[in-house]
Amino acid sequence: MTYRLFEGKDHASSYWKFRISPSDNLIQQVLDFLEKHKGHPFELAVDVGCGSGQGTVLLAKHFASMVATDVSPAQVEMALQHSKEPNITYKQCVAEELPLADSSVDLVTAMSAFHWFDRPRFLQEAHRVLKPRGCMALLNYTMDMELSYPDCCSQTLNQICQEFYVALVPYRSAHLGSNSIELYREAYKSLPYPDKEWHECVRVKRPMPLSSFMGFVESFSSYQTLVREDLQKATVLSQDFSHRLMSVMKVSSAETEVEVSVRYYCLLACKPEGA
């Protein structure tokens, strides 16, 4: 079954403001794979589980047309508010039932979304809509984000981060298992496509205010689950986390800029001719 989360307007807004989108280099890696196995023209791409659309707009400039889908009306609304690209069409639908014709799509992507889908059904649906030699790219990042700040011990900062992540483990969805990366590895192994690649340790670094980093981690599904169960506990956990980081950094403002390093991984696969 599909897990329906991230559907509130406040959560959709947090996604738009704080989520770290893939880097240009990572997007280029996807495009290079498509170029190698299918070639031009790049006519139609579909971004499934697009959320508020940050990844969608990065891809859209490379395709004649782009369809972006999400199960959440609030996420689609947020994407429409911020995306003015004329070649993008946003649709609300489940990932396993795409409103697209058979063998019509050059590239299917899911960025930080595949782990929430009914994964076997989605892979079947992606296979249905892909053209022969069309490609699929499933991207996500790990929870071990790293912080750095000038003249500050990164090891101490990241130990504090790890303690915060550990505190959220009891609120993690059982659907995700202990580590989402294993779901992607499992999909990679199960895909019966001869042309496929697995990439890890693709680092994406972003400077941002500490307050934005806090907004980012507060948008995690596990933190949002804690908010629903015990708002006061969630608030205290977040405030304590922020204060400890500022103490180590020796700053008094949460608007102090830090560098956040996120480790992406991705599955790239090409649908064979005649499949």
Side-chain angles (χ1 to χ4, degrees):
M1 62 177 290
T2 302
Y3 279 69
R4 299 188 61 151
L5 298 171
F6 318 111
E7 296 200 42
K9 289 189 176 182
D10 289 344
H11 204 178
S13 178
S14 294
Y15 250 60
W16 172 257
K17 291 177 184 176
F18 304 124
R19 283 281 166 141
I20 297 178
S21 56
S23 65
D24 290 341
N25 287 340
L26 187 51
I27 293 294
Q28 190 59 52
Q29 204 168 348
V30 172
L31 296 171
D32 288 346
F33 184 85
L34 181 62
E35 169 79 33
K36 175 183 175 182
H37 292 283
K38 180 192 168 293
H40 286 279
F42 292 176
E43 294 176 321
L44 176 61
V46 56
D47 185 24
V48 186
C50 66
S52 47
Q54 295 99 317
T56 307
V57 298
L58 295 176
L59 278 171
K61 54 189 158 185
H62 301 283
F63 291 84
S65 299
M66 183 97 198
V67 174
T69 75
D70 202 279
V71 72
S72 163
Q75 292 284 10
V76 171
E77 181 182 341
M78 188 62 58
L80 284 167
Q81 286 178 19
H82 292 93
S83 171
K84 306 305 178 187
E85 288 78 0
N87 65 329
I88 303 178
T89 301
Y90 289 95
K91 295 180 180 291
Q92 182 199 344
C93 66
V94 297
E96 303 80 8
E97 298 175 17
L98 299 174
L100 297 159
D102 294 359
S103 303
S104 63
V105 177
D106 296 291
L107 177 69
V108 172
T109 61
M111 305 187 221
S112 304
F114 171 70
H115 44 281
W116 292 115
F117 301 162
D118 181 325
R119 295 181 291 276
R121 284 186 61 209
F122 168 73
L123 292 175
Q124 290 176 358
E125 184 70 344
H127 180 86
R128 180 186 70 79
V129 303
L130 280 173
K131 297 175 181 177
R133 308 304 298 171
C135 296
M136 176 169 51
L138 307 179
L139 286 62
N140 196 27
Y141 48 78
T142 65
M143 286 284 286
D144 58 346
M145 284 151 286
E146 296 181 357
L147 279 186
S148 60
Y149 181 71
D151 302 319
C152 181
C153 177
S154 293
Q155 184 176 354
T156 304
L157 282 179
N158 291 307
Q159 178 59 38
I160 296 170
C161 291
Q162 287 298 325
E163 291 170 9
F164 178 79
Y165 305 148
V166 167
L168 293 179
V169 168
Y171 306 97
R172 180 179 173 85
S173 170
H175 176 72
L176 301 178
S178 60
N179 194 331
S180 298
I181 194 171
E182 297 303 329
L183 306 180
Y184 289 74
R185 286 182 177 138
E186 179 183 307
Y188 174 77
K189 292 174 183 176
S190 69
L191 267 176
Y193 295 174
D195 295 320
K196 57 185 178 179
E197 296 179 6
W198 173 258
H199 298 274
E200 284 187 44
C201 299
V202 183
R203 283 284 176 187
V204 175
K205 296 184 178 182
R206 292 279 189 276
M208 65 177 67
L210 180 62
S211 60
S212 292
F213 173 69
M214 294 303 305
F216 177 34
V217 297
E218 287 175 0
S219 74
F220 291 173
S221 61
S222 51
Y223 184 82
Q224 290 296 313
T225 297
L226 175 56
V227 166
R228 290 191 296 272
E229 291 187 9
D230 191 333
L231 176 59
Q232 182 178 3
K233 184 175 181 179
T235 302
V236 170
L237 178 66
S238 176
Q239 289 176 345
D240 178 65
F241 181 35
S242 179
H243 291 156
R244 290 179 67 197
L245 291 174
M246 287 192 292
S247 176
V248 171
M249 293 162 59
K250 296 182 172 58
V251 300
S252 57
S253 172
E255 299 312 302
T256 303
E257 188 171 276
V258 296
E259 183 179 76
V260 181
S261 176
V262 176
R263 183 165 65 95
Y264 264 89
Y265 51 90
C266 65
L267 184 167
L268 304 174
C270 173
K271 177 180 174 178
E273 291 275 5

